[in-house]
Amino acid sequence: AIVSCLFWKENKAASFSTTNMDTSLSEGPSCQRESRIDDIEDGAKKGMIKEAFNIVRKDKRLVLLGTVQSLFEAAMYVFIYQWPLAVSPAVSAFFGEGAVTPFGIIFSCFMAGSFLGSILFSKSIKSKNRLAETTATNMIGASTISMGLAAFFTAANTTSLAGIMGALIAYEACVGMYFPAMSTLRSKYVPDDHKTVILSLFGIPLNALVVIIYLSIHHLGTSSAFGISSLALAIATACMMKLRSISQKEANAN
């Protein structure tokens, strides 16, 4: 700190003068060239987006994969924001009014479940002749059930701490399996030269779903939000089953 104070020279803007004005005016053509370069770059970006959109539109596998990603991750974001509201009433019902919810301990349990899920995925892909699509289908199907159970147990007349925690930890284990599974499928189906743009396109319906749910959250409540998430996961399971079927046909053809 002492050396910095002694030797650091602060950057200061030059004072404005007529000389600066003349210089800026003389650089007019250069600024025009930079503007044209920016226009060319903007056109190239628009062309890349259009090309990536056409690639996704013409490839049914990418449409299915993008649908799975949007639906699963939308449900995941609903889980992230709603689990404290689901657990706190269950803690109060189990321990009595005024009981403090141990959010840190609960979050640690979720992280342990996620870690277990990643281990299960690494074990599953080592099996011979087992497609990553099969593992992903089973995982999303399990997440559908666990999210449905979370919706059931967060209902006002069925509040159960053990039920809610079991369902949410099971779902978190599915999340732990999801990310390595999805990374494997992306590397398989998404072309590398358009990967960034295509993944950005997948994020559009994802963000739209999350915004729609949260704009309606006061009318839905936690239980209904989990129920909608379970429905989204059920659709994602159906899409992944279709993708698995296509992959199996391609494998048999080769």
Side-chain angles (χ1 to χ4, degrees):
I2 296 174
V3 172
S4 298
C5 292
L6 292 175
F7 296 101
W8 178 264
K9 295 182 179 180
E10 188 64 35
N11 295 323
K12 297 181 180 180
S15 59
F16 182 80
S17 64
T18 55
T19 303
N20 291 339
M21 181 181 293
D22 294 338
T23 303
S24 63
L25 291 174
S26 65
E27 292 177 351
S30 176
C31 294
Q32 292 177 359
R33 286 195 298 270
E34 291 178 359
S35 177
R36 286 196 296 270
I37 292 174
D38 291 338
D39 292 338
I40 293 172
E41 290 179 350
D42 291 340
K45 291 178 181 178
K46 292 179 181 178
M48 289 182 62
I49 294 173
K50 184 177 181 180
E51 186 177 355
F53 178 79
N54 289 330
I55 291 173
V56 174
R57 182 174 57 85
K58 295 177 182 179
D59 193 338
K60 189 175 183 179
R61 302 171 303 174
L62 287 177
V63 174
L64 292 170
L65 186 65
T67 303
V68 170
Q69 175 179 319
S70 298
L71 293 175
F72 189 96
E73 295 187 13
M76 182 183 67
Y77 286 123
V78 172
F79 161 80
I80 289 172
Y81 287 105
Q82 293 298 309
W83 75 260
L85 300 178
V87 173
S88 292
V91 171
S92 298
F94 187 83
F95 293 103
E97 292 294 332
V100 178
T101 303
F103 291 111
I105 296 175
I106 294 171
F107 183 76
S108 299
C109 293
F110 289 161
M111 293 301 98
S114 179
F115 178 68
L116 177 62
S118 63
I119 293 176
L120 290 175
F121 175 79
S122 63
K123 296 289 185 181
S124 66
I125 60 174
K126 292 180 181 179
S127 302
K128 293 182 179 180
N129 300 323
R130 185 178 181 85
L131 297 172
E133 290 84 352
T134 301
T135 301
T137 300
N138 296 335
M139 174 270 297
I140 301 175
S143 68
T144 303
I145 297 172
S146 61
M147 186 64 77
L149 290 174
F152 173 76
F153 286 118
T154 51
N157 57 343
T158 56
T159 302
S160 169
L161 179 60
I164 291 174
M165 286 300 301
L168 295 181
I169 291 174
Y171 176 76
E172 192 65 35
C174 295
V175 172
M177 294 184 68
Y178 167 80
F179 285 104
M182 185 56 65
S183 297
T184 302
L185 295 175
R186 286 170 182 165
S187 64
K188 182 177 180 180
Y189 293 113
V190 181
D192 291 334
D193 52 343
H194 292 86
K195 180 170 289 186
T196 302
V197 181
I198 290 175
L199 295 182
S200 298
L201 292 176
F202 290 169
I204 295 174
L206 161 63
N207 294 323
L209 287 171
V210 174
V211 169
I212 290 171
I213 291 175
Y214 276 96
L215 288 177
S216 308
I217 197 66
H218 294 293
H219 302 286
L220 294 173
T222 301
S223 181
S224 297
F226 283 161
I228 293 173
S229 299
S230 181
L231 176 61
L233 291 169
I235 298 173
T237 303
C239 292
M240 185 55 69
M241 290 176 65
K242 181 63 177 178
L243 182 60
R244 180 185 63 179
S245 176
I246 294 173
S247 180
Q248 287 176 338
K249 289 179 181 179
E250 292 177 350
N252 294 332
N254 295 331

